[in-house]
C-alpha cells in the first residue's frame, strides 16, 4: 500500500480545514494510506516512509509560515538524496495573495528533488484588517471542494503509479 503524507500548519484554522478536506479526498482512494501530521509532529522518518506529499500552509508576511519552514529545514539533510522524484502538491491559505509562499514551497520541493503534480492551490481569505487576520477562518465550501479534489487526484495518481 502507498502512503500519502499530509503536513500542515495552521494558526487560525484555514490551512487545517484545507488539509482535512484534502485528506477526505485522498481517503477515497482504496490503495493509499493517508497520514495527517502538523508540521511540528512531522519529521524525517515520516517523509522517508511516504510515497507522496501534500503540504498545506498559511502565508504569513508574504512567506511560508515559520513552523512549516522549520519542518522543511529539520528534514532537509536527513532526506537529501533519498526521496527524489516523489510527487507532491501544495495548498496555501493566504489573506491576499499567497504566490510568494507557493513559490517558496516550490523552491524547497525543487531542493528536495520532488515532482509537482499540479500548480499550488492558493485559497484567499481576503483577511486584511488586524481583526480579520487574527480571527478564526472559515473556508468557503467551493475552496474546500478544490482541496478535496487535489487530495483525491494526488492519491489516485499515486495508487495508479502515474506519478
Amino acid at each position: 500500500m502507498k502512503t500519502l503524507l499530509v503536513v500542515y500548519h495552521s494558526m487560525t484554522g484555514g490551512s487545517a480545514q484545507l488539509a482535512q478536506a484534502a485528506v477526505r479526498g485522498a481517503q477515497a482512494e482504496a490503495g493509499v494510506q493517508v497520514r495527517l501530521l502538523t508540521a511540528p509532529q512531522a519529521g524525517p522518518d515520516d517523509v522517508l516512509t511516504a510515497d507522496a506529499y501534500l503540504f498545506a500552509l498559511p502565508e504569513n508576511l508574504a512567506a511560508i509560515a515559520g513552523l512549516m519552514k522549520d519542518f522543511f529545514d529539520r528534514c532537509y539533510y536527513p532526506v537529501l538524496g533519498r526521496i527524489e522524484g516523489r510527487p507532491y502538491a501544495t495548498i496555501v491559505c493566504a489573506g491576499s495573495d499567497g504566490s510568494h509562499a507557493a513559490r517558496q514551497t516550490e523552491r524547497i520541493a525543487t531542493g528536495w528533488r520532488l515532482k509537482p503534480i499540479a500548480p499550488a492551490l492558493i485559497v484567499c481569505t481576503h483577511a486584511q484588517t488586524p481583526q480579520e487576520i487574527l480571527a478564526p477562518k472559515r473556508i468557503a465550501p467551493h475552496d474546500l471542494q478544490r482541496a478535496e479534489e487535489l487530495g483525491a487526484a494526488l492519491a489516485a495518481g499515486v495508487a495508479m503509479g502515474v506519478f
Side-chain angles (χ1 to χ4, degrees):
M1 180 173 284
K2 301 287 185 173
T3 300
L4 168 60
L5 176 63
V6 179
V7 179
Y8 77 97
H9 174 63
S10 190
M11 295 185 64
T12 60
S15 296
Q17 291 169 61
L18 292 161
Q20 291 160 357
V23 165
R24 280 193 304 277
Q27 286 175 332
E29 188 61 49
V32 177
Q33 172 192 10
V34 183
R35 297 190 61 217
L36 176 65
L37 298 173
T38 65
Q41 292 173 319
D45 289 339
D46 301 303
V47 174
L48 290 169
T49 58
D51 300 289
Y53 315 97
L54 191 143
F55 308 115
L57 53 116
E59 181 176 69
N60 293 337
L61 301 170
I64 64 173
L67 285 177
M68 278 303 289
K69 179 67 166 70
D70 173 72
F71 157 74
F72 289 125
D73 288 346
R74 283 185 292 106
C75 295
Y76 179 66
Y77 290 111
V79 306
L80 186 61
R82 301 170 71 186
I83 60 170
E84 281 87 357
R86 294 183 190 177
Y88 83 97
T90 302
I91 300 172
V92 177
C93 186
S96 60
D97 182 52
S99 63
H100 188 69
R103 281 193 305 276
Q104 278 185 292
T105 305
E106 181 181 329
R107 290 186 68 177
I108 290 167
T110 298
W112 280 19
R113 313 308 191 270
L114 300 178
K115 180 176 138 183
I117 64 108
L121 171 58
I122 299 174
V123 174
C124 185
T125 65
H126 304 286
Q128 294 301 300
T129 68
Q131 296 79 12
E132 291 170 336
I133 292 168
L134 292 170
K137 301 301 180 278
R138 183 172 176 276
I139 302 301
H142 72 277
D143 287 324
L144 293 173
Q145 179 65 36
R146 292 170 47 204
E148 194 169 320
E149 290 168 359
L150 181 59
L154 179 54
V158 169
M160 291 187 289
V162 174
F163 305 127

